[in-house]
Amino acid sequence: MKFKRSERLVDITFTLINQPRKLIPFSTFSDRYKAAKSSISEDVAILKQTFEAQGLGRLQTTAGAAGGVRYDPDVSEQEALDVMNSLCETLAKPGRLLPGGYLYLTDIVGDPTVMQRVGRMIAGLYMDRQVDVVMTVATKGISLAYAIAKELGVPVVVVRRDSKVTEGSTVSINYVSGSAKRIQTMVLSKRSLSEGAKVLVVDDFMKAGGTVRGMKSLLDEFQANMIGIAVLVEAEHVQERLVDDYISVVKLSNVSVDEQTIQVHPGNYMKWRKGRNE
């Protein structure tokens, strides 16, 4: 079957978006469409220009007999600002504040469209890092972790509070929660991580950072490396922050539980983005 250029462009786009960060040889497409590699190269050049102009990410190409193309997802600066401002507006609505200064986030983390956009934002900052695994703790951070992992083309590892028979043998640690100062437990299957794995840690909400620090301690047990921390919401004005060097999408501040008032601002994502581009 002979493919028109318009048909090739659609199919190449679909293939690349569904296999992010994977180098796909030009020969794969030339064999599929019965077209010369030079024609495929021209197709990719058109898509590369379009992707970058629309802020959809970058197409990286390699030359030579084994040449190919790889899609690195990203978002434009304007889209990132739109996502953060929209989240701030949504989260600042009255009635979202819960006892203890927490936010009701279930509807946000349960919205696939929102999580996809946030996932692409965060994943874009790690395209040049060799992330092997995205890790989160059950349960609300799972949707964000999967959204990020999908864009990075890596698996997700979920840390649990107790052991499950379906997990096989496990490693467990005790840690101190940052806000309540309670002793809690984290459990992870021994099969989840390999020694030396590079792990991006993700959470939906970070107050003092005890949960994130607990995941770091768990990674130490596996001799794995934490290469980054990303959270959807961080709480500002915390007396003792237990972690640093983290990315946040929005920041919770000036909270009044009694009056049910809250102020939400963009997090430090843009600072990290600018640092990446410098």
Side-chain angles (χ1 to χ4, degrees):
M1 176 180 175
K2 185 69 174 179
F3 284 77
K4 298 178 182 178
R5 166 157 285 176
S6 58
E7 294 171 328
R8 296 202 306 262
L9 291 174
V10 170
D11 193 63
I12 292 173
T13 299
F14 180 82
T15 301
L16 293 173
I17 287 178
N18 282 280
Q19 299 184 68
R21 298 185 73 205
K22 178 181 178 181
L23 183 66
I24 302 177
F26 288 130
S27 58
T28 298
F29 296 119
S30 62
D31 292 343
R32 181 186 300 176
Y33 311 133
K34 302 296 186 289
K37 287 185 180 180
S38 58
S39 297
I40 301 302
S41 182
E42 292 172 1
D43 293 344
V44 170
I46 294 172
L47 292 175
K48 179 181 176 68
Q49 184 178 13
T50 304
F51 273 49
E52 292 176 357
Q54 297 299 320
L56 300 175
R58 302 179 298 277
L59 296 188
Q60 309 285 358
T61 57
T62 57
V69 56
R70 186 187 77 206
Y71 170 54
D72 290 345
D74 202 354
V75 299
S76 67
E77 181 174 323
Q78 186 58 55
E79 182 177 356
L81 289 171
D82 289 345
V83 170
M84 289 189 292
N85 290 332
S86 176
L87 282 172
C88 288
E89 182 179 349
T90 300
L91 293 174
K93 291 179 179 178
R96 280 195 175 272
L97 197 58
L98 302 173
Y102 292 95
L103 277 181
Y104 178 74
L105 293 174
T106 302
D107 59 331
I108 301 296
V109 297
D111 188 323
T113 300
V114 174
M115 289 298 97
Q116 181 186 43
R117 297 179 76 188
V118 175
R120 183 167 293 177
M121 283 172 54
I122 295 173
L125 299 183
Y126 288 92
M127 284 298 151
D128 298 329
R129 306 285 295 275
Q130 185 54 54
V131 179
D132 297 314
V133 173
V134 174
M135 172 188 278
T136 192
V137 64
T139 56
K140 289 184 181 176
I142 292 177
S143 59
L144 178 57
Y146 271 100
I148 296 170
K150 191 269 180 185
E151 303 297 336
L152 291 172
V154 300
V156 172
V157 167
V158 179
V159 177
R160 303 191 182 279
R161 303 295 185 183
D162 52 14
S163 181
K164 303 289 184 182
V165 66
T166 53
E167 297 291 304
S169 57
T170 59
V171 174
S172 65
I173 63 161
N174 293 325
Y175 71 101
V176 180
S177 67
S179 53
K181 302 297 183 183
R182 294 195 304 265
I183 300 295
Q184 299 191 36
T185 302
M186 283 185 177
V187 178
L188 187 62
S189 169
K190 287 185 176 180
R191 303 186 186 192
S192 296
L193 289 174
S194 58
E195 183 177 330
K198 297 179 180 179
V199 182
L200 174 59
V201 170
V202 173
D203 206 0
D204 65 309
F205 185 91
M206 183 175 73
K207 202 167 188 181
T211 300
V212 172
R213 192 167 74 168
M215 284 191 276
K216 172 62 169 64
S217 298
L218 191 56
L219 289 175
D220 291 340
E221 294 294 320
F222 283 84
Q223 297 183 33
N225 303 306
M226 184 176 74
I227 65 167
I229 303 166
V231 299
L232 180 63
V233 182
E234 68 161 310
E236 198 177 24
H237 307 311
V238 175
Q239 187 173 14
E240 182 184 5
R241 183 80 72 191
L242 301 178
V243 297
D244 52 17
D245 292 332
Y246 58 87
I247 296 169
S248 64
V249 180
V250 296
K251 182 183 298 184
L252 172 66
S253 63
N254 297 326
V255 175
S256 173
V257 177
D258 294 333
E259 298 178 7
Q260 286 287 294
T261 59
I262 176 176
Q263 290 185 0
V264 187
H265 304 286
N268 64 13
Y269 168 85
M270 292 307 300
K271 181 186 76 172
W272 281 82
R273 182 185 178 95
K274 292 176 181 177
R276 178 196 67 177
N277 295 329
E278 291 178 353

